[in-house]
Amino acid sequence: MIALIAPAKRLDYDSDLSVEDFSIAEHLKESKKLIKELQKKSPEDLSSLMGLSENLSILNFERNMNWQVPKKPSNEVRQAIFAFKGDVYVGLDSETLSKSDIKYAQKNLAILSGLYGLLKPLDLMYPYRLEMGTKMKNEKGKNLYEFWGNKITESINALAKENNSKGIINLASVEYFSSVKSENLDLPIYSPVFKDYKNGKHKIISFYAKKARGLMARWIIENNIKDFEKLSRFDMDGYYFSKSESTVTEPVFLRD
């Protein structure tokens, strides 16, 4: 199974890491093109484009101007799975994964990225801010979906073929999974739904749903899940499978 997750706005380049292994992202040629476009923009332009505060605009202007092709880990460059620190990554808790877990994740987990396209867990990355939904004009169109076209989909297909995967587990947000051309994927797509009990009924609560996506990604990694049928066994943090609410492509997990 190939599990797909979204990146996070919040980054961590300060904590100590024990993992030295790294890999190089596949689409750096495309990343360089996007960076060149971003480097043309002032802090004020970035603020307008991304809705950033003055401080964040200046920070990301500096990031864009200092960006280079990642070649080895440093204080400014680290592996993607350890760089992102959002709600999904709270659930994933990558720092506590074993070496064998990381090795499995490298082959079975992919992070969708506005700047890097598709990142494997150990792919090196400089800090950046470029959400997939950003309407930034580029040489291929008016937004990042047009820029990436079918490249991300082709990478997923290649990864799945290499691993003899039987399906794609979509644990990414709608914004990021929209960069994948579903009709061109060679495998079936399964999109788990997580609901928590509130005010008398189960419903999707964004914060908890994001964390649950990370929890499921971790569970898949730790248990070497290869078959969709086994997903119903997911039971971390009090979630349980609801057969009555699930469909073939959308397994539903509830928490009381």
Side-chain angles (χ1 to χ4, degrees), residues 47-249:
S47 177
S48 177
L49 180 67
M50 303 181 190
L52 302 177
S53 66
E54 180 179 354
N55 287 341
L56 282 177
S57 298
I58 293 172
L59 171 63
N60 284 285
F61 171 79
E62 293 173 348
R63 286 173 171 173
N64 295 338
M65 300 308 294
N66 293 326
W67 191 91
Q68 301 176 45
V69 174
K71 294 181 179 179
K72 62 180 181 179
S74 69
N75 291 335
E76 298 177 333
V77 183
R78 68 170 46 189
Q79 301 91 331
I81 197 173
F82 302 116
F84 293 117
K85 292 294 173 186
D87 299 334
V88 171
Y89 296 85
V90 171
L92 181 59
D93 194 15
S94 57
E95 290 82 1
T96 61
L97 290 171
S98 68
K99 289 184 178 180
S100 60
D101 289 336
I102 295 294
K103 186 176 180 180
Y104 184 84
Q106 181 72 356
K107 294 182 178 181
N108 296 278
L109 180 69
I111 303 168
L112 305 176
S113 166
L115 178 61
Y116 291 94
L118 184 140
L119 287 163
K120 292 182 179 180
L122 294 179
D123 283 351
L124 295 177
M125 55 171 265
Y126 275 88
Y128 75 97
R129 180 72 166 264
L130 186 62
E131 295 175 63
M132 189 65 79
T134 303
K135 296 179 180 178
M136 185 178 79
K137 291 183 179 180
N138 56 79
E139 64 178 36
K140 297 180 182 178
K142 61 181 180 297
N143 56 45
L144 297 182
Y145 298 116
E146 293 183 0
F147 177 83
W148 286 112
N150 204 46
K151 286 187 177 295
I152 292 174
T153 308
E154 290 172 349
S155 293
I156 296 171
N157 280 334
L159 185 61
K161 183 177 181 180
E162 179 183 336
N163 297 336
N164 296 314
S165 297
K166 299 178 181 178
I168 307 296
I169 307 299
N170 171 26
L171 296 170
S173 62
V174 173
E175 175 187 355
Y176 279 89
F177 191 69
S178 294
S179 66
V180 179
K181 306 291 186 184
S182 301
E183 67 277 10
N184 294 335
L185 284 175
D186 296 335
L187 297 172
I189 306 163
Y190 305 103
S191 300
V193 176
F194 304 95
K195 296 182 179 182
D196 282 81
Y197 191 78
K198 185 176 182 180
N199 298 330
K201 64 179 181 179
H202 288 97
K203 58 183 179 180
I204 298 173
I205 300 175
S206 180
F207 168 76
Y208 295 122
K210 290 178 181 178
K211 183 181 177 182
R213 292 173 193 155
L215 285 169
M216 178 168 277
R218 182 186 180 94
W219 180 81
I220 289 172
I221 292 167
E222 288 185 317
N223 293 280
N224 293 353
I225 300 300
K226 296 182 173 71
D227 301 309
F228 167 72
E229 290 76 14
K230 293 182 180 179
L231 274 188
S232 61
R233 301 177 187 176
F234 174 74
D235 61 356
M236 293 185 74
D237 252 25
Y239 284 100
Y240 59 90
F241 177 66
S242 174
K243 185 176 181 179
S244 61
E245 294 194 33
S246 299
T247 66
V248 174
T249 57

